[in-house]
Short mmCIF file of all heavy atoms in Angstrom, two decimals:
data_model
loop_
_atom_site.label_atom_id
_atom_site.label_comp_id
_atom_site.label_asym_id
_atom_site.label_seq_id
_atom_site.Cartn_x
_atom_site.Cartn_y
_atom_site.Cartn_z
N ASN A 3 3.88 1.46 -0.95
CA ASN A 3 4.58 1.51 -2.23
C ASN A 3 3.72 2.12 -3.33
O ASN A 3 4.18 2.92 -4.13
CB ASN A 3 5.02 0.11 -2.67
CG ASN A 3 6.32 -0.28 -1.97
OD1 ASN A 3 6.95 0.58 -1.36
ND2 ASN A 3 6.68 -1.54 -2.05
N LEU A 11 4.64 9.37 -9.99
CA LEU A 11 4.02 9.61 -11.29
C LEU A 11 3.52 11.05 -11.39
O LEU A 11 3.63 11.70 -12.42
CB LEU A 11 2.86 8.63 -11.52
CG LEU A 11 3.29 7.24 -11.95
CD1 LEU A 11 2.09 6.29 -11.93
CD2 LEU A 11 3.91 7.26 -13.34
N THR A 13 4.65 13.71 -9.76
CA THR A 13 5.77 14.66 -9.90
C THR A 13 6.33 14.59 -11.31
O THR A 13 6.74 15.59 -11.88
CB THR A 13 6.90 14.37 -8.88
OG1 THR A 13 7.22 13.00 -8.94
CG2 THR A 13 6.51 14.78 -7.48
N LEU A 14 6.33 13.39 -11.85
CA LEU A 14 6.79 13.23 -13.24
C LEU A 14 5.93 14.08 -14.17
O LEU A 14 6.41 14.78 -15.05
CB LEU A 14 6.72 11.74 -13.63
CG LEU A 14 7.29 11.37 -14.98
CD1 LEU A 14 8.79 11.51 -14.96
CD2 LEU A 14 6.91 9.94 -15.33
N LYS A 23 5.37 25.68 -25.59
CA LYS A 23 5.56 25.49 -27.03
C LYS A 23 4.92 26.60 -27.85
O LYS A 23 3.92 27.18 -27.42
CB LYS A 23 4.91 24.15 -27.43
CG LYS A 23 5.20 23.77 -28.86
CD LYS A 23 4.69 22.39 -29.20
CE LYS A 23 5.26 22.01 -30.55
NZ LYS A 23 4.88 20.70 -30.99
N GLN A 54 11.90 24.73 -16.29
CA GLN A 54 12.72 24.17 -15.21
C GLN A 54 14.21 24.34 -15.50
O GLN A 54 14.98 24.71 -14.63
CB GLN A 54 12.38 22.69 -15.06
CG GLN A 54 12.83 22.16 -13.72
CD GLN A 54 12.62 20.67 -13.62
OE1 GLN A 54 12.70 19.96 -14.62
NE2 GLN A 54 12.38 20.21 -12.42
N SER A 57 15.99 25.81 -20.88
CA SER A 57 16.36 25.46 -22.25
C SER A 57 15.38 26.07 -23.25
O SER A 57 14.17 26.06 -23.04
CB SER A 57 16.33 23.94 -22.44
OG SER A 57 17.37 23.39 -21.72
N ALA A 59 14.69 26.39 -27.55
CA ALA A 59 15.07 26.01 -28.92
C ALA A 59 14.02 26.54 -29.86
O ALA A 59 12.84 26.57 -29.53
CB ALA A 59 15.18 24.49 -29.04
N LYS A 65 11.85 28.64 -46.12
CA LYS A 65 10.94 28.90 -47.25
C LYS A 65 9.66 29.58 -46.81
O LYS A 65 8.85 29.98 -47.64
CB LYS A 65 10.63 27.60 -48.00
CG LYS A 65 11.77 27.15 -48.89
CD LYS A 65 11.33 26.07 -49.86
CE LYS A 65 12.47 25.62 -50.74
NZ LYS A 65 12.08 24.52 -51.64
N PHE A 69 7.99 37.81 -48.58
CA PHE A 69 8.57 39.08 -49.01
C PHE A 69 7.53 39.95 -49.69
O PHE A 69 6.54 39.45 -50.21
CB PHE A 69 9.71 38.80 -50.01
CG PHE A 69 10.97 38.32 -49.38
CD1 PHE A 69 11.05 37.04 -48.87
CD2 PHE A 69 12.07 39.15 -49.28
CE1 PHE A 69 12.21 36.59 -48.28
CE2 PHE A 69 13.24 38.70 -48.69
CZ PHE A 69 13.31 37.42 -48.19
N PRO A 70 7.77 41.28 -49.74
CA PRO A 70 6.84 42.14 -50.47
C PRO A 70 6.83 41.85 -51.97
O PRO A 70 5.86 42.16 -52.65
CB PRO A 70 7.35 43.56 -50.19
CG PRO A 70 8.75 43.39 -49.72
CD PRO A 70 8.82 42.06 -49.07
N LYS A 71 7.90 41.25 -52.51
CA LYS A 71 7.93 40.88 -53.92
C LYS A 71 8.21 39.39 -54.01
O LYS A 71 9.16 38.89 -53.41
CB LYS A 71 9.03 41.65 -54.67
CG LYS A 71 8.79 43.13 -54.75
CD LYS A 71 9.93 43.81 -55.48
CE LYS A 71 9.74 45.33 -55.52
NZ LYS A 71 10.89 46.01 -56.10
N SER A 72 7.38 38.69 -54.81
CA SER A 72 7.50 37.22 -54.85
C SER A 72 8.83 36.79 -55.50
O SER A 72 9.39 35.76 -55.15
CB SER A 72 6.32 36.61 -55.59
OG SER A 72 6.20 37.16 -56.87
N LEU A 73 9.34 37.61 -56.42
CA LEU A 73 10.58 37.25 -57.07
C LEU A 73 11.76 37.37 -56.08
O LEU A 73 12.70 36.58 -56.12
CB LEU A 73 10.82 38.18 -58.27
CG LEU A 73 11.63 37.64 -59.43
CD1 LEU A 73 11.06 36.34 -59.95
CD2 LEU A 73 11.68 38.66 -60.55
N GLU A 76 11.96 34.23 -54.14
CA GLU A 76 12.63 33.18 -54.91
C GLU A 76 14.16 33.34 -54.84
O GLU A 76 14.88 32.38 -54.61
CB GLU A 76 12.13 33.26 -56.35
CG GLU A 76 12.70 32.23 -57.28
CD GLU A 76 12.21 32.47 -58.70
OE1 GLU A 76 11.00 32.65 -58.89
OE2 GLU A 76 13.03 32.47 -59.64
N HIS A 77 14.61 34.57 -55.02
CA HIS A 77 16.06 34.80 -54.99
C HIS A 77 16.64 34.59 -53.60
O HIS A 77 17.73 34.06 -53.46
CB HIS A 77 16.36 36.23 -55.48
CG HIS A 77 15.98 36.44 -56.90
ND1 HIS A 77 15.51 37.63 -57.38
CD2 HIS A 77 15.95 35.58 -57.94
CE1 HIS A 77 15.23 37.50 -58.66
NE2 HIS A 77 15.49 36.27 -59.02
N GLU A 80 16.92 30.82 -53.28
CA GLU A 80 17.84 30.13 -54.19
C GLU A 80 19.27 30.64 -54.10
O GLU A 80 20.21 29.86 -54.23
CB GLU A 80 17.34 30.27 -55.63
CG GLU A 80 16.08 29.46 -55.87
CD GLU A 80 15.65 29.49 -57.32
OE1 GLU A 80 16.35 30.10 -58.15
OE2 GLU A 80 14.60 28.90 -57.60
N LYS A 81 19.42 31.94 -53.94
CA LYS A 81 20.77 32.51 -54.05
C LYS A 81 21.42 32.82 -52.72
O LYS A 81 22.62 32.71 -52.57
CB LYS A 81 20.73 33.79 -54.88
CG LYS A 81 20.36 33.47 -56.29
CD LYS A 81 20.23 34.72 -57.09
CE LYS A 81 19.72 34.39 -58.45
NZ LYS A 81 20.66 34.72 -59.49
N THR A 87 19.24 23.19 -49.65
CA THR A 87 20.32 22.53 -48.91
C THR A 87 20.18 22.79 -47.41
O THR A 87 20.41 21.89 -46.59
CB THR A 87 21.69 23.05 -49.39
OG1 THR A 87 21.67 23.15 -50.81
CG2 THR A 87 22.80 22.12 -48.98
N GLN A 154 26.54 34.72 -49.13
CA GLN A 154 27.18 35.58 -50.12
C GLN A 154 26.14 36.33 -50.94
O GLN A 154 25.10 35.79 -51.28
CB GLN A 154 28.04 34.75 -51.07
CG GLN A 154 29.26 34.17 -50.38
CD GLN A 154 29.93 33.12 -51.24
OE1 GLN A 154 29.50 32.85 -52.36
NE2 GLN A 154 30.98 32.53 -50.71
N VAL A 158 26.98 39.26 -59.72
CA VAL A 158 26.32 40.08 -60.73
C VAL A 158 25.43 41.10 -60.02
O VAL A 158 24.76 40.77 -59.05
CB VAL A 158 25.46 39.19 -61.67
CG1 VAL A 158 24.87 40.02 -62.79
CG2 VAL A 158 26.28 38.06 -62.24
N LEU A 159 25.48 42.32 -60.50
CA LEU A 159 24.73 43.42 -59.89
C LEU A 159 23.37 42.96 -59.40
O LEU A 159 22.56 42.44 -60.16
CB LEU A 159 24.55 44.54 -60.92
CG LEU A 159 23.79 45.78 -60.43
CD1 LEU A 159 24.68 46.63 -59.56
CD2 LEU A 159 23.27 46.55 -61.61
N PHE A 160 23.11 43.14 -58.13
CA PHE A 160 21.90 42.58 -57.56
C PHE A 160 21.19 43.60 -56.71
O PHE A 160 21.49 44.79 -56.79
CB PHE A 160 22.26 41.32 -56.76
CG PHE A 160 21.30 40.22 -57.00
CD1 PHE A 160 21.36 39.47 -58.15
CD2 PHE A 160 20.31 39.94 -56.07
CE1 PHE A 160 20.45 38.46 -58.36
CE2 PHE A 160 19.41 38.93 -56.29
CZ PHE A 160 19.47 38.19 -57.44
N ASN B 14 12.45 10.57 -12.80
CA ASN B 14 11.99 11.90 -12.48
C ASN B 14 13.10 12.94 -12.66
O ASN B 14 12.86 14.06 -13.10
CB ASN B 14 11.52 11.91 -11.03
CG ASN B 14 10.26 12.73 -10.89
OD1 ASN B 14 9.94 13.51 -11.77
ND2 ASN B 14 9.56 12.53 -9.81
N PRO B 18 13.63 15.04 -17.36
CA PRO B 18 13.65 16.46 -17.75
C PRO B 18 15.01 16.87 -18.30
O PRO B 18 15.08 17.66 -19.23
CB PRO B 18 13.36 17.19 -16.43
CG PRO B 18 12.70 16.18 -15.57
CD PRO B 18 13.32 14.87 -15.94
N GLN B 22 15.74 18.36 -21.96
CA GLN B 22 16.46 19.61 -22.15
C GLN B 22 17.43 19.49 -23.33
O GLN B 22 17.53 20.39 -24.16
CB GLN B 22 17.22 19.94 -20.87
CG GLN B 22 18.25 21.05 -21.02
CD GLN B 22 19.36 20.89 -20.00
OE1 GLN B 22 19.20 20.17 -19.01
NE2 GLN B 22 20.47 21.54 -20.22
N LEU B 25 15.45 19.38 -26.97
CA LEU B 25 14.40 20.31 -27.41
C LEU B 25 14.47 20.58 -28.91
O LEU B 25 13.46 20.55 -29.60
CB LEU B 25 14.52 21.64 -26.65
CG LEU B 25 13.95 21.70 -25.24
CD1 LEU B 25 13.95 23.13 -24.73
CD2 LEU B 25 12.56 21.12 -25.16
N LEU B 29 11.93 19.44 -31.96
CA LEU B 29 11.36 20.34 -32.95
C LEU B 29 11.61 19.84 -34.36
O LEU B 29 10.73 19.87 -35.21
CB LEU B 29 11.97 21.75 -32.80
CG LEU B 29 11.45 22.63 -31.69
CD1 LEU B 29 12.23 23.93 -31.65
CD2 LEU B 29 9.97 22.92 -31.88
N GLU B 32 9.39 17.17 -35.51
CA GLU B 32 8.01 17.59 -35.80
C GLU B 32 7.95 18.54 -36.99
O GLU B 32 6.88 18.96 -37.40
CB GLU B 32 7.43 18.31 -34.58
CG GLU B 32 7.25 17.41 -33.37
CD GLU B 32 7.03 18.22 -32.09
OE1 GLU B 32 6.85 19.45 -32.19
OE2 GLU B 32 7.06 17.62 -31.01
N TRP B 39 7.06 22.44 -48.04
CA TRP B 39 7.76 23.31 -48.98
C TRP B 39 8.65 22.51 -49.91
O TRP B 39 9.82 22.79 -50.09
CB TRP B 39 8.57 24.36 -48.21
CG TRP B 39 7.67 25.33 -47.52
CD1 TRP B 39 6.96 26.33 -48.11
CD2 TRP B 39 7.35 25.42 -46.14
NE1 TRP B 39 6.23 27.03 -47.17
CE2 TRP B 39 6.46 26.48 -45.96
CE3 TRP B 39 7.75 24.67 -45.01
CZ2 TRP B 39 5.94 26.83 -44.72
CZ3 TRP B 39 7.23 25.04 -43.78
CH2 TRP B 39 6.34 26.10 -43.64
N SER B 41 8.01 21.87 -53.24
CA SER B 41 8.08 22.38 -54.60
C SER B 41 9.34 23.22 -54.78
O SER B 41 9.69 23.99 -53.90
CB SER B 41 6.87 23.25 -54.90
OG SER B 41 5.71 22.47 -54.96
N THR B 43 11.54 26.32 -55.77
CA THR B 43 11.12 27.72 -55.81
C THR B 43 11.03 28.22 -57.25
O THR B 43 10.26 29.11 -57.55
CB THR B 43 12.08 28.60 -54.98
OG1 THR B 43 13.41 28.13 -55.18
CG2 THR B 43 11.74 28.53 -53.52
N SER B 44 11.84 27.65 -58.15
CA SER B 44 11.67 27.94 -59.57
C SER B 44 12.24 26.77 -60.36
O SER B 44 13.11 26.06 -59.89
CB SER B 44 12.41 29.23 -59.95
OG SER B 44 13.80 29.00 -59.95
N LYS B 47 14.74 30.13 -64.98
CA LYS B 47 14.97 31.48 -64.48
C LYS B 47 14.02 32.49 -65.12
O LYS B 47 13.77 33.54 -64.55
CB LYS B 47 16.42 31.92 -64.73
CG LYS B 47 17.46 31.31 -63.83
CD LYS B 47 17.00 30.87 -62.46
CE LYS B 47 16.59 31.99 -61.52
NZ LYS B 47 16.14 31.44 -60.22
N ARG B 60 5.14 34.00 -63.26
CA ARG B 60 5.33 34.80 -62.07
C ARG B 60 4.11 34.63 -61.18
O ARG B 60 3.03 34.24 -61.63
CB ARG B 60 5.54 36.27 -62.43
CG ARG B 60 6.80 36.51 -63.25
CD ARG B 60 8.04 36.02 -62.55
NE ARG B 60 9.23 36.18 -63.38
CZ ARG B 60 10.26 35.33 -63.35
NH1 ARG B 60 10.23 34.25 -62.57
NH2 ARG B 60 11.31 35.54 -64.09
N ARG B 61 4.29 34.97 -59.90
CA ARG B 61 3.18 34.84 -58.96
C ARG B 61 2.14 35.95 -59.17
O ARG B 61 2.40 36.93 -59.85
CB ARG B 61 3.70 34.87 -57.52
CG ARG B 61 4.62 33.72 -57.19
CD ARG B 61 3.87 32.42 -57.41
NE ARG B 61 4.73 31.26 -57.22
CZ ARG B 61 4.89 30.64 -56.05
NH1 ARG B 61 4.29 31.08 -54.98
NH2 ARG B 61 5.64 29.58 -55.96
N ASN B 64 2.06 40.01 -60.55
CA ASN B 64 3.32 40.42 -61.16
C ASN B 64 3.11 40.75 -62.63
O ASN B 64 2.45 40.02 -63.36
CB ASN B 64 4.35 39.28 -61.08
CG ASN B 64 5.08 39.27 -59.76
OD1 ASN B 64 6.07 39.96 -59.58
ND2 ASN B 64 4.57 38.50 -58.81
N GLN B 176 19.25 20.86 -58.09
CA GLN B 176 19.39 22.31 -57.98
C GLN B 176 20.05 22.93 -59.21
O GLN B 176 20.06 24.14 -59.37
CB GLN B 176 20.21 22.64 -56.75
CG GLN B 176 19.39 22.49 -55.48
CD GLN B 176 20.26 22.52 -54.26
OE1 GLN B 176 21.08 23.40 -54.09
NE2 GLN B 176 20.12 21.53 -53.42
N ARG B 214 25.49 30.90 -59.65
CA ARG B 214 24.21 31.20 -59.00
C ARG B 214 23.33 32.11 -59.85
O ARG B 214 22.12 32.11 -59.71
CB ARG B 214 24.46 31.87 -57.64
CG ARG B 214 24.64 30.86 -56.54
CD ARG B 214 24.61 31.55 -55.21
NE ARG B 214 25.74 32.45 -55.07
CZ ARG B 214 25.87 33.30 -54.07
NH1 ARG B 214 24.96 33.37 -53.14
NH2 ARG B 214 26.93 34.08 -53.99
N SER B 215 23.92 32.91 -60.76
CA SER B 215 23.12 33.84 -61.55
C SER B 215 23.14 33.54 -63.05
O SER B 215 22.49 34.23 -63.81
CB SER B 215 23.59 35.27 -61.31
OG SER B 215 23.47 35.60 -59.95
N GLU B 244 20.75 36.44 -64.60
CA GLU B 244 19.72 36.98 -63.74
C GLU B 244 20.31 38.02 -62.80
O GLU B 244 21.31 37.78 -62.15
CB GLU B 244 19.11 35.84 -62.93
CG GLU B 244 17.93 36.25 -62.10
CD GLU B 244 17.51 35.12 -61.20
OE1 GLU B 244 18.38 34.45 -60.63
OE2 GLU B 244 16.31 34.93 -61.05
N THR B 245 19.67 39.19 -62.76
CA THR B 245 20.15 40.23 -61.86
C THR B 245 18.97 40.84 -61.15
O THR B 245 18.47 41.88 -61.54
CB THR B 245 20.87 41.36 -62.62
OG1 THR B 245 19.90 42.00 -63.44
CG2 THR B 245 21.99 40.86 -63.50
N GLY B 246 18.50 40.22 -60.09
CA GLY B 246 17.37 40.77 -59.34
C GLY B 246 16.11 40.79 -60.17
O GLY B 246 15.65 39.75 -60.61
N GLN B 289 6.15 44.12 -59.40
CA GLN B 289 5.13 43.57 -58.50
C GLN B 289 4.07 44.63 -58.32
O GLN B 289 4.33 45.67 -57.71
CB GLN B 289 5.76 43.18 -57.16
CG GLN B 289 4.78 42.61 -56.17
CD GLN B 289 4.88 41.11 -56.05
OE1 GLN B 289 5.93 40.53 -56.22
NE2 GLN B 289 3.76 40.47 -55.77
N PRO B 293 1.88 40.31 -52.40
CA PRO B 293 1.60 38.88 -52.34
C PRO B 293 0.73 38.56 -51.13
O PRO B 293 0.78 39.29 -50.14
CB PRO B 293 2.98 38.24 -52.17
CG PRO B 293 3.98 39.33 -52.22
CD PRO B 293 3.29 40.65 -52.15
#
Side-chain angles (χ1 to χ4, degrees):
Chain A
N3 278 348
L11 281 171
T13 50
L14 186 70
K23 187 174 191 179
Q54 198 186 31
S57 291
K65 283 194 180 177
F69 283 73
K71 294 179 183 175
S72 56
L73 208 54
E76 181 184 312
H77 296 146
E80 290 185 2
K81 294 176 186 243
T87 318
Q154 291 168 1
V158 185
L159 180 76
F160 223 77
Chain B
N14 220 342
Q22 168 207 343
L25 280 190
L29 281 177
E32 294 165 9
W39 291 286
S41 291
T43 38
S44 72
K47 286 333 293 179
R60 297 303 177 213
R61 297 302 175 90
N64 276 274
Q176 284 167 50
R214 273 191 295 171
S215 300
E244 186 188 41
T245 66
Q289 180 103 31

